[in-house]
Amino acid sequence: MYAVIKSGGKQYKVSTGDVVKLEKLAAEEGKEVVFNEVLALDDVIGTPLVAGASVKAQVLKQTRDDKIIVFKKKRRQNYRRKNGHRQSITLVKITDILGK
């Protein structure tokens, strides 16, 4: 059984037992989070959401993702800017997928 959930403006296909890397959620480590925005559940596709469906997950860790380098350059203009960015993320483990 799988579900497609929406979190942080992105969509994730999850099933029970998966560990998913999401944008930062406002929850402490060890707490349970419920995702009510379920876009699809197995072969049922919502319009836009599946009524009565939810996904339960447990927060494993609040951390930061790997650094990415942002490099801007305009040729022949002596313009170069180098910047780094680390996104805050939340690791969650999907514990249960609830249907209707």
Side-chain angles (χ1 to χ4, degrees):
M1 181 177 217
Y2 71 91
V4 178
I5 62 171
K6 182 178 174 185
S7 176
K10 298 178 180 69
Q11 298 174 4
Y12 302 92
K13 181 180 176 182
V14 297
S15 58
T16 305
D18 286 351
V19 176
V20 184
K21 183 169 43 171
L22 305 174
E23 285 192 16
K24 184 172 178 153
L25 300 174
E28 295 96 29
E29 295 180 10
K31 298 288 183 179
E32 188 174 87
V33 182
V34 177
F35 299 102
N36 292 322
E37 292 186 347
V38 178
L39 303 173
L41 187 64
D42 283 335
D43 57 349
V44 178
I45 297 174
T47 54
L49 302 175
V50 178
S54 63
V55 175
K56 290 185 180 179
Q58 181 181 10
V59 176
L60 297 178
K61 193 174 185 182
Q62 296 278 6
T63 185
R64 295 176 62 136
D65 208 0
D66 296 332
K67 180 179 274 192
I68 61 166
I69 302 299
V70 181
F71 187 75
K72 300 177 183 178
K73 180 181 178 178
K74 293 185 181 177
R75 61 186 186 154
R76 296 187 296 273
Q77 304 297 321
N78 198 22
Y79 175 82
R80 293 186 296 268
R81 301 290 183 265
K82 183 178 177 182
N83 200 355
H85 176 75
R86 288 186 74 187
Q87 184 71 32
S88 297
I89 60 169
T90 302
L91 290 175
V92 296
K93 182 175 183 178
I94 306 299
T95 56
D96 199 11
I97 297 175
L98 304 171
K100 294 181 181 178

